[in-house]
Amino acid sequence: MAGPARRARVVLFPLPFQGHISPMLQLAGALHARGLAVTVLHTFFNAPDPKRHLGFSFVAVPDAIPNAVAATNNGIAKILALNAAMETSGLVRDALASLLKSGEEEEEPRLACLVIDSTLTATQKAATSLGLPTLVLHTGSAACFRLFRSYDMLHDKGYLPETESNLHLPVKELPPLKVRDLFDPSKLPNKEIGQKILNLATETTTNSSGAILNTFEALEARELEMIQDELADRIPAFAVGPLHKLTSVDGAQTSLLNQDRSCIEWLDTQAPGSVLYVSFGSVVHVTQDEFMEVAWGLAYSGRPFLWVVRRGLVLGVEKPELPEGFESMVEGKGKVIEWAAQQEVLAHSAVGGFWTHNGWNSTLESICEGVPMLSSPLFGDQLATGRYVQDMWKIGILLEGVLERVKIEKAVRTLLDENEGMEIRDRARDLRNKVQMCLDSSGSSRQAVDKLSYPNRILLLD
Ligand code: UDX
């Protein structure tokens, strides 16, 4: 009689940026909780801290991003350089080969698959060369998954390249997007690398055994259905989000920077629903002029705010300085910190709105707490997400065009006080309740995780 199936191990390789490391570690936590052994492969650059994840094993793979690229602010160039370096060095293949070998020993969990960030083509090639199947984690929305696969169509139909005169046009094939919401690679200083980055996720998905998406049915039902149609039965898609609610791995464990917890004590002193939380995530930059407009817009709004001014937020400036007179003007009303305990901040009853760049993690975290958004998307997938927030889910206000203090001041007041803000707030609360349903034991996200794994095994690959 056959004995019980041997425990399986999954290896996960995140892209080494905050917005990608967090969901990968959250997924690792969800799989670990279901009995799977977990190994995280990672670069030295932005390495996660093994001491914060005692149940996982960690294996570092030297990244070898050329110093000149590592020193730039160009995230896209870093991803391409990382893939190129990993392909040349063969070090990922060596690490996987060694894990496969240990998994052959009877007392060790056998290695079932590699879960990769959708941009890491080199890691997939290494796995494939060893006969190891891959699953691909898409850390953005389902809408962006579809958008990034639609660039041939967008060029064929003349939406791209963007022009001054077509920015306002709706993209009929991808509602509710407008041309201005598309990430146009031809606008980058190096067009070729822009196009290359868009192709990575399509390549890894096509060559994978399954696509994992950090989103949920009640939010993106139509998009998810279309994705499954497009991928056909060959590549199943699993909507397992919001991952941060499906795991015990918390924000403090995944954060690359130390979170300043004094902001929670400060929020305790503020009236319920009164505070605007402001953060533009971990990678985007604003110009010095935009920074000034944000500061004065907040000050003139007269509303309490908690503003994350991380190091490097202002292009070319390590530690941005607040404008003269700002601190005295907002004394007692505004708090500025370098990095927040964001998930806790958004869950705090004093927070009434989130001014965000609409990175996908921030957007999901806001949705989960029913916090309405003021959207200032700046780059890439953020642009489409900002449009969805305002025009599809109707849980926020999109600040379009140049950042100007007067516009900001008005938008902050609308979001926090006026009638329009009230409707937006009600819808945000409704959506929060729908998230809860997806997370219940019979909810769609739980079921997706059940389809993906069951005690000790990755179902799909066993
Ligand atoms: C990047 C891209 O910018 C984004 O468009 C893409 O969707 C994911 O990768 P990032 O800019 O870091 O992400 O934004 P986001 O996805 O929102 O992730 C930021 C994470 O940092 C969130 O999980 C948030 O909780 C955390 N955070 C942010 C903190 O812990 N403290 C802070 O002060 C700010």
Side-chain angles (χ1 to χ4, degrees), residues 344-359:
E344 277 177 71
V345 166
L346 289 167
H348 198 287
S349 59
V351 172
F354 181 12
W355 185 6
T356 170
H357 69 314
N358 281 132

Side-chain angles (χ1 to χ4, degrees), residues 152-171:
D152 287 345
M153 178 277 285
L154 293 168
H155 279 106
D156 290 349
K157 302 243 174 191
Y159 294 116
L160 291 176
E162 289 175 4
T163 59
E164 269 309 310
S165 59
N166 78 354
L167 285 177
H168 66 284
L169 290 182
V171 180

Side-chain angles (χ1 to χ4, degrees), residues 16-316:
F17 294 108
Q18 184 70 71
H20 294 250
I21 290 174
S22 298
M24 189 65 91
L25 290 174
Q26 290 154 2
L27 176 65
L31 296 177
H32 186 252
R34 301 173 70 74
L36 286 138
V38 162
T39 298
V40 177
L41 284 191
H42 63 88
T43 56
F44 287 141
F45 172 71
N46 279 351
D49 180 356
K51 290 196 292 299
R52 296 187 192 166
H53 304 274
L54 297 179
F56 309 166
S57 316
F58 286 82
V59 176
V61 180
D63 32 76
I65 302 180
N67 289 341
V69 182
T72 67
N73 288 327
N74 188 336
I76 293 182
K78 280 182 194 159
I79 297 170
L80 297 176
L82 188 59
N83 272 317
M86 289 197 294
E87 247 181 81
T88 312
S89 76
L91 292 169
V92 180
R93 191 178 191 282
D94 293 350
L96 290 174
S98 156
L99 287 163
L100 273 167
K101 197 156 186 310
S102 333
E104 284 166 10
E105 290 173 25
E106 202 47 47
E107 65 281 6
E108 282 292 316
R110 77 211 142 68
L111 183 50
C113 75
L114 171 69
V115 184
I116 55 165
D117 185 274
S118 64
T119 56
L120 290 181
T121 47
T123 58
Q124 186 173 54
K125 285 180 191 157
T128 306
S129 73
L130 294 163
L132 183 66
T134 49
L135 296 171
V136 176
L137 174 63
H138 293 270
T139 56
S141 68
C144 287
F145 179 103
R146 294 202 64 236
L147 167 60
F148 287 176
R149 293 167 69 84
S150 304
Y151 274 72
D152 287 345
M153 178 277 285
L154 293 168
H155 279 106
D156 290 349
K157 302 243 174 191
Y159 294 116
L160 291 176
E162 289 175 4
T163 59
E164 269 309 310
S165 59
N166 78 354
L167 285 177
H168 66 284
L169 290 182
V171 180
K172 279 190 267 148
E173 295 76 3
L174 297 171
L177 300 186
K178 297 184 179 178
V179 172
R180 64 166 72 252
D181 310 321
L182 306 174
F183 165 63
D184 183 353
S186 68
K187 277 185 161 171
L188 294 174
N190 183 338
K191 292 178 204 172
E192 241 173 65
I193 72 165
Q195 192 51 54
K196 268 194 194 159
I197 200 86
L198 288 168
N199 295 340
L200 297 179
T202 303
E203 181 184 331
T204 50
T205 306
T206 306
N207 295 325
S208 75
S209 300
I212 303 172
L213 289 106
N214 190 15
T215 186
F216 57 101
E217 282 284 342
L219 189 68
E220 297 195 278
R222 197 177 54 95
E223 288 77 7
L224 285 165
E225 203 179 306
M226 284 190 281
I227 287 173
Q228 197 55 85
D229 281 354
E230 285 159 16
L231 297 179
D233 290 338
R234 208 181 65 71
I235 305 167
F238 302 89
V240 298
L243 277 166
H244 72 286
K245 291 285 184 187
L246 261 167
T247 173
S248 59
V249 173
D250 64 24
Q253 284 172 279
T254 57
S255 183
L256 292 169
L257 300 174
N258 282 331
Q259 299 182 322
D260 180 345
R261 298 193 49 80
S262 69
C263 59
I264 304 293
E265 283 154 38
W266 181 79
L267 286 172
D268 288 342
T269 66
Q270 303 296 315
S274 66
V275 176
L276 183 75
Y277 170 58
V278 187
S279 166
F280 300 138
S282 67
V283 285
V284 293
H285 307 278
V286 295
T287 62
Q288 185 67 35
D289 285 351
E290 288 169 333
F291 183 66
M292 291 297 145
E293 294 306 306
V294 173
W296 291 122
L298 288 173
Y300 289 130
S301 77
R303 301 292 179 270
F305 63 85
L306 172 64
W307 182 17
V308 176
V309 178
R310 63 158 219 275
R311 285 176 185 251
L313 171 66
V314 178
L315 203 59

Side-chain angles (χ1 to χ4, degrees), residues 259 279 282-283 308 339-340 342 357 360-362 365 381-382:
Q259 299 182 322
S279 166
S282 67
V283 285
V308 176
W339 195 245
Q342 179 165 305
H357 69 314
W360 188 238
N361 296 287
S362 294
E365 289 162 15
D381 63 331
Q382 301 156 15

